[in-house]
Amino acid sequence: MEYVTLNNGVKMPIIGFGVFQIPDFEQCKSVVIDAIKVGYRLFDTAASYMNEEAVGAAIKEAIDTGLVTREELFITSKMWVQDMKNYDDAKKAINRSLEKLGLDYLDLYLQHQAMGDYFSAWRAMEDAYQEGKIRAIGVSNFFPNILTNFVETVSIKSAVNQVELHPFFAQTLSVETMKEYDIVPEAWAPMAEGKHHLFTHPLLSEIGQRYGKSAAQVALRWNIQRGVVVLPKSTHIERMQQNIDVLDFTLTQEEMDDITALTLDHSEIINHFDPNIVRFCVRRVIHD
């Protein structure tokens, strides 16, 4: 495994495993254990995914059976908008995630959206970081203008910004802005949720043939070479293995440029600029 070093010195695997849209307890637990066996050490969940308990149960079983130690794992969760109303609610959210995961500390904790009173919520995260409950704090879905204002305002700089990043939404300005502030880019949906026929895309497939790799592996490698941490997700062991097997080849600059040229410069998964999406996020309730 290769690692990136966050701006506070914490090392983070460059390939992780996402558990979005795996709400079933037994399935999620089983999938995480399989992923640990395959070699994944970074696991990304969120309060809004409704599966923190399952991830926690998998971690406990893996540690208890000697598959892995806690220190080898890098566990991430995220605060939902419902808890980003004030400092006290945010503090409770952090403790709630720790309790559901059954952990004494999180390796990384993110704000899920740039919505609500994210400055007050950030102060709660800063305090939890200072108390040792979180090894690194960051954000998710912060676009360049929002991220710039945020970083220029807060006391402790974000270590990570997790955003949608794949060949059809390269977000070059976003990645450049993160690097300017020494923030690690992290990709959700690094394979575009299969849109635009990514798994059989002619360009990605052609490049993959040169290295004995699949189109999906090329897409992951492209992000990694940009310094982006990737979070592929699969419930199939064979694909889990393929997704982590992307560190033994290097794309040329020409290949990188050709892939970047595929970008549409907008998301076809979610439009964060749509007021209806914002209303949905702000009004969504995930707990009492």
Side-chain angles (χ1 to χ4, degrees):
M1 179 58 65
E2 294 179 5
Y3 294 80
V4 296
T5 301
L6 305 183
N7 54 32
N8 66 348
V10 169
K11 292 189 179 298
M12 177 180 183
I14 202 161
I15 305 173
F17 190 87
V19 296
F20 178 51
Q21 293 179 330
I22 314 179
D24 180 78
F25 184 94
E26 291 301 331
Q27 182 188 24
C28 185
K29 178 184 173 183
S30 176
V31 165
V32 170
I33 290 173
D34 285 344
I36 290 174
K37 290 178 180 178
V38 167
Y40 290 88
R41 295 296 179 263
L42 162 58
F43 291 89
D44 180 89
T45 184
S48 72
Y49 296 174
M50 312 301 285
N51 57 17
E52 287 176 311
E53 294 100 328
V55 173
I59 292 169
K60 184 179 187 303
E61 182 173 318
I63 292 173
D64 289 347
T65 57
L67 274 177
V68 70
T69 66
R70 172 65 184 95
E71 292 72 26
E72 291 177 281
L73 295 173
F74 193 101
I75 308 301
T76 302
S77 193
K78 309 179 195 73
M79 181 185 298
W80 183 240
V81 183
Q82 178 186 357
D83 297 309
M84 294 167 59
K85 296 176 180 176
N86 54 61
Y87 176 95
D88 290 336
D89 283 355
K91 186 175 181 179
K92 290 175 184 176
I94 296 166
N95 292 331
R96 188 181 300 111
S97 284
L98 286 168
E99 182 179 351
K100 287 187 174 184
L101 286 160
L103 300 176
D104 296 325
Y105 68 91
L106 281 161
D107 296 280
L108 177 65
Y109 192 64
L110 309 177
Q111 294 189 354
H112 208 142
Q113 300 282 355
M115 300 176 190
D117 185 359
Y118 49 88
F119 283 99
S120 291
W122 187 257
R123 286 193 291 274
M125 291 169 62
E126 289 177 327
D127 286 350
Y129 170 75
Q130 299 284 15
E131 294 166 4
K133 292 182 178 180
I134 309 169
R135 296 179 66 218
I137 52 179
V139 297
S140 180
N141 299 308
F142 276 46
F143 287 90
N145 60 317
I146 296 172
L147 183 68
T148 300
N149 176 63
F150 187 74
V151 175
E152 293 284 350
T153 304
V154 298
S155 297
I156 299 177
K157 185 168 60 176
S158 175
V160 170
N161 185 18
Q162 185 184 121
V163 298
E164 180 186 349
L165 292 170
H166 50 74
F168 307 108
F169 193 29
Q171 292 215 65
T172 301
L173 177 60
S174 186
V175 172
E176 289 175 350
T177 303
M178 290 183 231
K179 292 185 176 180
E180 180 180 350
Y181 285 108
D182 195 20
I183 296 170
V184 170
E186 186 176 30
W188 63 260
M191 293 183 284
E193 297 186 346
K195 294 182 185 296
H196 301 283
H197 307 289
L198 181 142
F199 300 113
T200 57
H201 191 277
L203 175 64
L204 300 176
S205 298
E206 178 187 343
I207 293 173
Q209 288 175 0
R210 301 169 193 166
Y211 301 98
K213 299 292 182 179
S214 68
Q217 287 172 310
V218 170
L220 292 173
R221 182 66 202 180
W222 168 80
N223 251 331
I224 288 171
Q225 283 186 216
R226 298 201 300 161
V228 175
V229 173
V230 293
L231 296 170
K233 183 199 80 175
S234 177
T235 57
H236 304 286
I237 291 181
E238 297 79 9
R239 290 177 185 168
M240 291 182 195
Q241 292 169 333
Q242 290 175 3
N243 291 340
I244 206 171
D245 184 25
V246 292
L247 300 176
D248 60 349
F249 72 108
T250 303
L251 300 171
T252 66
Q253 188 58 54
E254 182 179 0
E255 290 167 339
M256 290 288 293
D257 292 342
D258 287 345
I259 296 170
T260 302
L262 295 174
T263 188
L264 302 172
D265 291 328
H266 67 268
S267 173
E268 295 197 342
I269 296 175
I270 182 172
N271 179 8
H272 282 100
F273 301 98
D274 181 349
N276 290 320
I277 295 295
V278 177
R279 272 189 288 270
F280 170 80
C281 291
V282 171
R283 295 174 181 177
R284 182 172 181 242
V285 174
I286 64 171
H287 63 79
D288 295 334

